[in-house]
Amino acid sequence: MVENDFVPAGYTAQSERGKVTWRAPSNIALVKYWGKRENQIPANPSLSFTLDACNTTTSLSYEKRNGKRTDFSFELFFEGKAKDDFKPKIELFFKRTKHYLPFLKDYHFKIETSNSFPHSSGIASSASGMAALSLCLMDLEKQLDPDMGMDFMLQKASFLARLGSGSACRSIQGNLIQWGAHSGIPGSSDQYGIQYPFRVHKVFKNYHDTILLVDKGKKQVSSTMGHNLMHGHPFADNRFKQAHENISRLKPVFADGNLKEFINIVESEALTLHAMMMTSEPYFMLMKPNTLEIIHKIWEFRRESNSNLCFTLDAGANVHVLYPEFEKEKVHQFIKNELIVFCEKEQYICDRIGFGAKRLKSVSDNLYG
Ligand code: PMV
């Protein structure tokens, strides 16, 4: 699939008005995407677990406009309230995707969105949010082109979501998603995420991710700025090479369920991501003292109990604690006893690997408003 395959040749059906609703999950990268080229093309491939409990639900109501329009027309509601400060992001998303969705200017849209996790949790909603909106738009496109296959629809949703927020392309399907061209992964592409095509041991099929909310404040440095600082970064080339190698190293790990090697790769990826931040020009740091306290506690617990839990980080201070289902009780106890004291207001979210986005039945299906 190349970019032009996502430009529709024409539509065979019409839809005057309607409403569609999709719920899309967040995801957590095991091999991190950090650094990008023009048009949201990743500087290196990445690999993620799709999550389940952390998700965004978006409804898109649409109504055909009269005459030829040159602008986009939409309203945006977040958790029931008009949210004008989110509009520029959507406007930019529409501009980037209009070539692939030529109907965008023909409709007035009402976008209603909400997250399952608290707004100020430090958990980015851009991945699940852009994935849910892309799926709603593809749902409408499928009504205009009823012959469109499901595989194509999901692939194009991932392609569109990428244009909204890079890692969002990994939030369409479950449960292990690879994004970015890699010589050892057939079908991998810089344009969209794919389901990991090799054997995955059953231990990874129901992995847990408990997200410890260390700092719920807004980040001082956005991911966009962080990605940009990889241009001319002194360690960039080696870092990009390392991401390719780590994806290759994970292949036998996933096949055999080698948790010790999984831990080595995943924790190294998390610390490398933050090392890139700390060695950017200008340098910055998103980890907080409690992030480090938690990491040291995890290492200590692992040494003493021979547990397989490990941590990863995204672009923030929160810690994702990853562990297999068979250690659930032991790890929950450890988190409650030893880790939640380091969380803001002792808050954490229990999540786990998930199976991808879902179409929900809209309360007022086919009714605008
Ligand atoms: O999709 P963005 O631009 O918000 O970047 C996400 C970057 C990381 O979360 C740090 C890593 C990743 O691969 O998800």
Side-chain angles (χ1 to χ4, degrees):
M1 279 284 175
V2 291
E3 266 170 277
N4 276 345
D5 296 328
F6 295 116
V7 180
Y11 296 126
T12 52
Q14 294 197 11
S15 184
E16 281 301 311
R17 63 186 59 196
K19 180 172 180 175
V20 290
T21 303
W22 281 81
R23 171 172 296 161
S26 185
N27 70 75
I28 180 69
L30 305 171
V31 175
K32 310 288 181 182
Y33 148 59
W34 198 242
K36 62 178 161 186
R37 295 185 266 126
E38 235 189 310
N39 296 328
Q40 306 274 95
I41 295 298
N44 65 261
S46 57
L47 191 61
S48 54
F49 276 155
T50 306
L51 296 179
D52 181 42
C54 290
N55 57 55
T56 298
T57 302
T58 298
S59 291
L60 180 78
S61 306
Y62 53 92
E63 185 172 38
K64 200 85 186 259
R65 300 161 83 193
N66 297 323
K68 194 94 199 116
R69 302 292 180 144
T70 52
D71 56 344
F72 302 114
S73 172
F74 65 97
E75 311 156 73
L76 186 76
F77 294 84
F78 177 68
E79 278 158 14
K81 294 197 190 82
K83 194 82 180 159
D84 286 348
D85 44 335
F86 283 5
K87 283 180 101 175
K89 210 167 173 184
I90 304 294
E91 180 88 25
L92 179 64
F93 175 63
F94 281 170
K95 276 198 187 119
R96 285 181 182 164
T97 54
K98 67 172 195 271
H99 183 54
Y100 309 100
L101 299 171
F103 59 82
L104 280 181
K105 287 183 182 161
D106 300 341
Y107 289 93
H108 173 72
F109 296 110
K110 180 175 172 191
I111 303 166
E112 293 164 280
T113 182
S114 60
N115 296 332
S116 64
F117 47 90
H119 182 46
S120 57
S121 57
I123 298 181
S125 59
S126 54
S128 49
M130 284 299 171
L133 179 58
S134 299
L135 283 158
C136 288
L137 290 165
M138 284 313 296
D139 201 319
L140 168 55
E141 183 161 72
K142 179 150 172 62
Q143 295 178 42
L144 305 176
D145 176 12
D147 294 334
M148 183 192 295
M150 195 59 171
D151 286 350
F152 178 83
M153 179 181 165
L154 295 177
Q155 196 169 64
K156 184 166 170 184
S158 174
F159 170 85
L160 296 172
R162 188 201 93 232
L163 293 169
S165 169
S167 60
C169 76
R170 300 187 313 234
S171 272
I172 304 290
Q173 288 180 284
N175 44 14
L176 188 55
I177 302 292
Q178 206 271 343
W179 167 43
H182 184 284
S183 59
I185 305 214
S188 59
S189 167
D190 284 345
Q191 308 283 346
Y192 45 81
I194 60 164
Q195 287 182 306
Y196 190 67
F198 302 123
R199 201 159 75 79
V200 178
H201 190 278
K202 63 178 185 327
V203 74
F204 294 113
K205 303 264 167 161
N206 44 16
Y207 235 66
H208 287 257
D209 177 5
T210 298
I211 309 164
L212 305 177
L213 305 180
V214 171
D215 183 35
K216 305 199 291 161
K218 198 171 154 39
K219 287 181 283 188
Q220 299 112 319
V221 182
S222 68
S223 318
T224 308
M225 282 163 78
H227 286 294
N228 284 338
L229 293 174
M230 287 304 279
H231 292 291
H233 190 294
F235 307 133
D237 289 345
N238 281 333
R239 160 59 199 152
F240 301 147
K241 192 163 153 267
Q242 180 197 42
H244 282 266
E245 286 162 5
N246 279 344
I247 286 183
S248 302
R249 280 173 71 194
L250 277 168
K251 190 177 167 191
V253 169
F254 282 131
D256 305 340
N258 181 346
L259 295 182
K260 298 285 174 247
E261 184 63 358
F262 177 79
I263 293 170
N264 284 338
I265 298 169
V266 167
E267 292 191 345
S268 159
E269 275 289 322
L271 294 179
T272 303
L273 167 71
H274 284 258
M276 290 301 111
M277 300 174 187
M278 289 190 258
T279 48
S280 295
E281 227 183 286
Y283 48 80
F284 63 104
M285 194 189 286
L286 298 181
M287 289 191 284
K288 297 277 174 174
N290 281 351
T291 312
L292 295 182
E293 294 281 5
I294 291 168
I295 291 175
H296 284 286
K297 283 277 176 200
I298 286 175
W299 285 342
E300 194 182 297
F301 180 73
R302 209 161 60 213
R303 256 196 323 269
E304 285 168 2
S305 68
N306 205 25
S307 162
N308 291 293
L309 92 168
C310 70
F311 70 86
T312 189
L313 308 165
D314 55 16
N318 294 339
V319 182
H320 290 247
V321 185
L322 303 178
Y323 49 97
E325 169 83 9
F326 68 83
E327 286 193 31
K328 179 171 82 179
E329 278 83 25
K330 178 164 98 173
V331 174
H332 279 174
Q333 211 51 52
F334 162 65
I335 289 175
K336 278 197 200 124
N337 294 348
E338 309 235 15
L339 301 185
I340 60 170
V341 290
F342 300 113
C343 298
E344 212 179 305
K345 301 203 181 115
E346 304 207 333
Q347 285 181 335
Y348 62 100
I349 297 174
C350 291
D351 209 337
R352 58 193 307 161
I353 195 162
F355 301 97
K358 268 203 209 82
R359 186 183 203 264
L360 305 184
K361 209 164 163 47
S362 295
V363 185
S364 54
D365 241 344
N366 294 323
L367 274 182
Y368 181 77

